[in-house]
Amino acid sequence: MAVAYNVLTLWGPLTLLAGVVGAIGIYLLYRPVLEPERRSFLRYIAISAGAGFVGYWIGTAIGIGIACMPENAGNLCGLIGVFGVGPLVAGVAIFAYACYWASQARSGA
């Protein structure tokens, strides 16, 4: 379990950071393609943050559930969900919304 904790607490925050940077990059890349009324940066950020927030709580719940399942898990087992799986899922959710937004921008919808 110690190896999983070390890996997840390293890659979770890095994935979150990569998701945020990637989402901003995708917005800047596809913004010129959109009509002016669909370029709202505040709306894009709000929806991205909402996706990240929901992803974080779902990932945290999953991580806590898995890490605290064994009988010998210890009293700090929830940290894997809070600092590892939660940020990992949040970063993936933010980047997934950015990719969805970009596909809508390309298709002209």
Side-chain angles (χ1 to χ4, degrees):
M1 190 59 80
V3 173
Y5 176 76
N6 291 335
V7 169
L8 287 172
T9 55
L10 173 68
W11 285 103
L14 289 176
T15 304
L16 179 59
L17 180 65
V20 169
V21 170
I24 292 171
I26 286 174
Y27 178 82
L28 294 175
L29 185 66
Y30 285 100
R31 184 181 66 166
V33 177
L34 295 173
E35 302 86 32
E37 65 270 2
R38 294 196 58 220
R39 287 188 196 168
S40 173
F41 184 68
L42 292 176
R43 180 174 179 241
Y44 177 78
I45 290 297
I47 294 173
S48 295
F53 184 76
V54 170
Y56 177 80
W57 287 108
I58 290 172
T60 299
I62 291 170
I64 290 172
I66 291 172
C68 295
M69 192 178 303
E71 298 254 342
N72 61 351
N75 59 348
L76 298 177
C77 61
L79 294 178
I80 292 177
V82 173
F83 296 117
V85 182
L88 183 94
V89 174
V92 170
I94 290 170
F95 191 72
Y97 172 71
C99 291
Y100 169 76
W101 183 83
S103 71
Q104 294 298 314
R106 279 186 297 214
S107 69

